[in-house]
């Protein structure tokens, strides 16, 4: 049996692995195919593709776009993206700028609380175009301004906490169109985590191609529920570990194993779209 993991992050967003380390981990875990889905960026895909080619592993380009619909945050995975598509790159660059400005706002809020963190320290640590709250948390720990990543979120960075800053997001409908414009398939990420059930029909009408039924934080009951959605709305089925490397305890890669017939169906759907 061959298996895939279609939800993975690297250092190009908030994961800790380089693309090469990620591919090595995928190999160790006996995976035959991976997709890289960094937040709002495809920067790591070229290196991941090269590393996969060297070990004869299937690679699917991807990204996880942070979007919203009716005030609900929804993450949309794009697969088989043309990573050189100028329009796609220009639009996600704007959201990378939003992320960078948000880091400055979060650091300013921390400074107002008397915490001496510099935005540059966060950017140096993040060393990518798509920084996020985990980088602020890691910088706080690194500078010994807090004891742990969890404490950083609990005290300062969680929604409603004093250094939390809302993020302006693209609409989910735009995200779907943007992914299609770059030749990709759009998949709703971890629906079990974002209270998105009520808006799934609208996202399907907007052209959503698939649904992430299998995810680290989905219970068996949840996965079964979303398999029923997939059946009802004729959506492709995907799954992945959402591995962020060593940032959260053990790396999760290998814990969600998507059977290969789903990969064949995704490839067929992508070929049909072209
Ligand atoms: P951002 O995109 O900047 O809002 O950051 C979202 C990232 O922060 C996601 O990858 C989450 O896994 C991570 N995150 C969110 N809440 C927490 C938390 N309470 N503890 C640790 N990580 C978190
Ligand atoms: Zn993340
Ligand atoms: Fe997500
Ligand atoms: Fe993710």
């Amino acid at each position: 049996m061959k298996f895939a993991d279609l939800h993975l992050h690297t250092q190009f967003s908030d994961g800790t692995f380089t693309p090469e380390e990620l591919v090595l981990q995928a190999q160790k875990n006996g995976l035959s195919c991976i997709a890289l889905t960094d937040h709002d960026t495809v920067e790591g895909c070229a290196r991941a593709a090269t590393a996969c080619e060297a070990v004869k592993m299937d690679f699917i380009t991807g990204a996880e776009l942070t979007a919203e619909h009716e005030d609900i945050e929804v993450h949309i995975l794009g697969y088989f993206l043309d990573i050189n598509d100028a329009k796609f790159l220009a639009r996600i660059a704007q959201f990378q700028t939003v992320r960078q400005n948000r880091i400055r706002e979060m650091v300013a809020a921390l400074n107002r609380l008397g915490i001496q963190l510099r935005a540059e320290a966060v950017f140096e640590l993040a060393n990518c175009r798509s920084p996020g709250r985990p980088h602020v948390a890691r910088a706080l720990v690194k500078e010994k301004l807090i004891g742990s990543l969890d404490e950083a979120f609990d005290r300062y960075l969680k929604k409603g906490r004093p250094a939390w800053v809302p993020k302006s997001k693209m609409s989910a409908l735009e995200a779907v169109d943007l992914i299609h414009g770059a030749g990709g398939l759009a998949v709703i990420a971890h629906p079990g985590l974002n209270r998105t059930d009520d808006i799934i029909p609208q996202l399907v009408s907007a052209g959503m191609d698939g649904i992430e039924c299998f995810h680290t934080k989905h219970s068996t009951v949840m996965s079964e529920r979303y398999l029923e959605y997939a059946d009802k709305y004729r959506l492709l089925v995907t799954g992945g570990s959402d591995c962020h490397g060593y940032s959260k305890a053990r790396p999760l890669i290998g814990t969600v194993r998507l059977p290969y017939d789903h990969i064949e169906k995704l490839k067929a759907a992508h070929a049909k779209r072209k």
Side-chain angles (χ1 to χ4, degrees):
M1 279 285 275
K2 294 207 291 180
F3 296 98
D5 186 334
L6 301 184
H7 193 150
L8 299 161
H9 297 269
T10 67
Q11 286 177 1
F12 284 95
S13 65
D14 53 2
T16 68
F17 291 141
T18 62
E20 293 77 18
E21 286 165 351
L22 184 71
V23 174
L24 190 67
Q25 292 285 333
Q27 222 189 345
K28 276 189 188 164
N29 282 280
L31 296 170
S32 303
C33 172
I34 59 167
L36 179 57
T37 55
D38 271 319
H39 298 283
D40 301 325
T41 182
V42 290
E43 263 181 290
C45 286
R47 275 171 56 183
T50 304
C52 278
E53 211 176 295
V55 296
K56 305 250 179 299
M57 189 178 299
D58 252 359
F59 179 70
I60 297 172
T61 56
E64 180 176 21
L65 303 184
T66 312
E68 66 186 342
H69 187 76
E70 292 176 352
D71 286 330
I72 297 169
E73 179 163 330
V74 33
H75 293 183
I76 300 185
L77 298 158
Y79 291 117
F80 304 102
L81 297 165
D82 171 1
I83 60 170
N84 297 309
D85 185 275
K87 200 172 154 221
F88 179 81
L89 292 176
R91 188 67 178 128
I92 61 172
Q94 292 174 332
F95 285 93
Q96 292 161 9
T97 304
V98 164
R99 283 178 168 276
Q100 292 158 21
N101 292 338
R102 180 171 174 245
I103 298 287
R104 290 192 189 90
E105 288 179 54
M106 288 191 281
V107 169
L110 287 166
N111 293 163
R112 284 195 292 276
L113 295 167
I115 296 154
Q116 305 289 319
L117 184 69
R118 289 174 309 112
E120 286 317 312
V122 180
F123 291 131
E124 275 163 34
L125 179 145
N127 193 29
C128 70
R129 293 182 196 163
S130 234
R133 281 180 292 165
H135 296 116
V136 178
R138 286 180 214 160
L140 284 168
V141 171
K142 189 175 171 212
E143 308 268 320
K144 300 199 166 41
L145 294 165
I146 199 137
S148 71
L149 299 177
D150 279 342
E151 206 185 331
F153 272 92
D154 287 344
R155 282 179 65 178
Y156 303 121
L157 301 171
K158 269 206 310 213
K159 186 171 183 176
R161 292 290 183 233
W164 176 73
V165 174
K167 182 166 54 183
S168 90
K169 307 169 192 90
M170 76 174 82
S171 84
L173 307 189
E174 189 198 342
V176 172
D177 286 347
L178 200 60
I179 288 164
H180 286 162
L185 297 175
V187 172
I188 179 163
H190 44 65
L193 305 192
N194 294 62
R195 301 180 296 116
T196 43
D197 287 15
D198 292 346
I199 62 169
I200 288 175
Q202 294 168 54
L203 297 176
V204 172
S205 303
M208 191 69 69
D209 303 285
I211 184 164
E212 189 176 50
C213 296
F214 304 103
H215 183 274
T216 305
K217 290 190 177 161
H218 278 183
S219 63
T220 309
V221 172
M222 271 184 199
S223 293
E224 277 165 9
R225 181 161 84 240
Y226 295 116
L227 285 168
E228 281 169 20
Y229 271 90
D231 214 34
K232 180 171 172 192
Y233 294 106
R234 301 185 169 279
L235 295 168
L236 294 157
V237 171
T238 75
S241 65
D242 211 349
C243 173
H244 282 72
Y246 283 106
S247 62
K248 292 168 200 161
R250 248 168 6 97
L252 292 168
I253 188 166
T255 57
V256 174
R257 306 172 77 81
L258 186 71
Y260 228 72
D261 52 327
H262 295 301
I263 304 300
E264 307 296 355
K265 285 178 190 160
L266 282 162
K267 285 183 177 174
H270 175 238
K272 208 167 138 193
R273 245 206 113 74
K274 272 212 284 196

